[in-house]
Amino acid sequence: LQDPSLTNSNIRSTSGWLTEPNGSSFTLDITYTPSLLSESSGLWVWGDGSVPPSDCLRFFLNEGGTLRFTWVVSGANVINVNTTDTLQLGTRHQLRLVLDGTNVYIFIDGILSISSPYTPPVFSMPRACSVGYVPFISPSVTFFATGDIDEVRMNNAVRSTTNYTPDSEPFTLE
C-alpha cells in the first residue's frame, strides 16, 4: 500500500489520532502480522517522496524479524536504531516507535525492546507518508510490507517510555 494522497493537508486530525510528526517528539503505533521473515518489510515512512529518500523517517522489519528505525538527512542515516528482539511469523504484534526529543524507543507488544539517545537533526520535515512501503536505496531496492498491517496511529504525544499494556481493542480516536 502506497498512497501519495496522504499528505500534510489530509493526514492531520484535530483528534490527535493521525497527525504530522513534528520531528522531535511523536508516537507511531502499528498493528502488524508478518507473513515472511526472510526479507526486509516496509512498515512506515514519513519522507520527501523521492527514491532514494533524501530526507525521511522510516520504520521497517529487517530480514530475520528485528525492527529498524532510521532518520535520513540529505541521503545519509543520521540515526539508526535496531532491535535485537524478533517478531514471530504469523503472530499479531503491536509495534510502537516513540521519539521524545532525546531518546528513540521501540516497543514490541508493550515491552521496551530498545531505547537509544539521539539529537534531533535540523531539517525541514518532509510531508509524504507511506504505510507498508519504504523506499530504500533505489527504485529497484524497495521494501513492501510482507504481512498484514491492521492499524496505524501516529500523534505528537509521547505515549510511553516504559513498558505498557497493549490495546486489546482496535485503535480509536482520542
Side-chain angles (χ1 to χ4, degrees), residues 79-120:
I79 298 172
N80 190 13
V81 178
N82 289 279
T83 66
T84 55
D85 300 314
T86 58
L87 301 187
Q88 300 302 308
L89 186 66
T91 300
R92 184 177 188 264
H93 294 282
Q94 287 193 6
L95 311 177
R96 179 171 283 178
L97 169 68
V98 177
L99 278 73
D100 71 359
T102 58
N103 289 288
V104 175
Y105 304 88
I106 299 176
F107 296 86
I108 300 172
D109 299 323
I111 306 299
L112 180 62
S113 181
I114 190 168
S115 66
S116 179
Y118 77 100
T119 302

Side-chain angles (χ1 to χ4, degrees), residues 27 60 74 81 98 121-122 138 158-159:
T27 299
F60 58 95
S74 299
V81 178
V98 177
V122 176
S138 70
V158 174
R159 298 182 62 84

